[in-house]
Amino acid sequence: EADIYQTPRYLVIGTGKKITLECSQTMGHDKMYWYQQDPGMELHLIHYSYGVNSTEKGDLSSESTVSRIRTEHFPLTLESARPSHTSQYLCASSVLTGAYEQYFGPGTRLTVT
Amino acid sequence: AQSVTQLDSQVPVFEEAPVELRCNYSSSVSVYLFWYVQYPNQGLQLLLKYLSGSTLVKGINGFEAEFNKSQTSFHLRKPSVHISDTAEYFCAVSPLSSGSARQLTFGSGTQLTVLP
């Protein structure tokens, strides 16, 4: 079944640790996205990619980085986590052309203590 | 650039009552319009979308929305809600132009709470 997966679903980690949030999709989509969502707030685009070896920054400035070595995989990394990084991170994918309807993963809720 | 305003941050409604969640947008170009639903601790799921054609769009779970170009609105409606409709609802727009500019812009969300 075509789907989009995120791991871990929940992560509690101490300040200064390096973390990688995983996102994989079996949708066959070229374009992938990372959003940051604070509780009760709108989604803010932090990174997106058109395909392999393509990465772009989104509207919201973020200290995280992303990579796209494989079409189906779009991990997000924080080199040194801080309490201000506490948030929900949502991964999404879409086709390159058309209405740009996006399909979302279940999200990773990150807490940095 | 586009912007989306969801006029109500919280909407409480009794079970089996009708509901309308309001969405207005601003854009200098024509747009596609979307409604997404987010259940607790889950990602977003597409409810419905307007691309072109009939301004009344039907989606999943009995929801529908009407595009009003003159009022730049895309309100979501359901004639009779269920407890299971309790969730956060997001309105979003995407410009028709091609290329990197075609990103989704989301509203701040409306929390729909269905009361027994």
Side-chain angles (χ1 to χ4, degrees):
Chain A
E1 180 182 338
D3 211 339
I4 182 163
Y5 306 92
Q6 288 186 246
T7 57
R9 292 292 315 278
Y10 303 92
L11 179 63
V12 180
I13 201 163
T15 298
K17 300 291 186 183
K18 178 180 179 179
I19 58 170
T20 296
L21 307 185
E22 301 288 349
C23 176
S24 296
Q25 50 100 1
T26 56
M27 309 287 289
H29 289 161
D30 287 306
K31 201 166 181 182
M32 296 188 74
Y33 314 77
W34 276 104
Y35 290 89
Q36 185 172 340
Q37 182 187 29
D38 292 323
M41 301 292 285
E42 64 203 90
L43 283 75
H44 292 284
L45 181 68
I46 52 175
H47 299 284
Y48 61 98
S49 165
Y50 288 107
V52 171
N53 294 326
S54 154
T55 61
E56 304 282 347
K57 290 190 179 295
D59 305 323
L60 182 68
S61 175
S62 174
E63 294 168 349
S64 58
T65 59
V66 292
S67 62
R68 190 89 182 276
I69 299 172
R70 302 199 318 263
T71 300
E72 63 274 16
H73 194 213
F74 191 42
L76 180 145
T77 299
L78 277 165
E79 291 292 334
S80 180
R82 295 208 300 266
S84 60
H85 297 137
T86 294
S87 189
Q88 170 148 266
Y89 293 84
L90 291 167
C91 181
S93 70
S94 73
V95 297
L96 264 181
T97 58
Y100 278 55
E101 170 184 328
Q102 294 180 19
Y103 296 83
F104 284 81
T108 294
R109 187 165 296 280
L110 172 66
T111 302
V112 183
T113 60
Chain B
Q2 292 74 45
S3 68
V4 178
T5 302
Q6 291 185 240
L7 297 153
D8 306 297
S9 59
Q10 299 200 36
V11 173
V13 63
F14 287 105
E15 194 173 17
E16 297 183 4
V19 70
E20 179 179 82
L21 306 183
R22 297 180 292 168
C23 172
N24 286 90
Y25 69 92
S26 172
S27 176
S28 57
V29 300
S30 297
V31 294
Y32 298 125
L33 296 136
F34 306 85
W35 274 100
Y36 284 85
V37 60
Q38 185 178 32
Y39 298 103
N41 299 316
Q42 294 187 27
L44 277 67
Q45 179 184 2
L46 182 69
L47 268 180
L48 49 79
K49 60 187 176 185
Y50 173 78
L51 307 182
S52 64
S54 172
T55 57
L56 184 62
V57 179
K58 293 191 183 298
I60 61 171
N61 301 340
F63 283 94
E64 63 181 31
E66 185 154 21
F67 171 52
N68 187 318
K69 188 173 183 179
S70 62
Q71 297 185 5
T72 60
S73 68
F74 190 53
H75 300 334
L76 181 70
R77 301 187 186 102
K78 186 169 182 178
S80 176
V81 294
H82 303 289
I83 296 288
S84 59
D85 292 323
T86 294
E88 187 89 18
Y89 291 79
F90 290 92
C91 181
V93 301
S94 172
L96 266 66
S97 59
S98 61
S100 62
R102 195 189 286 177
Q103 307 290 4
L104 276 179
T105 300
F106 286 88
S108 55
T110 297
Q111 173 64 44
L112 173 64
T113 302
V114 181
L115 306 166

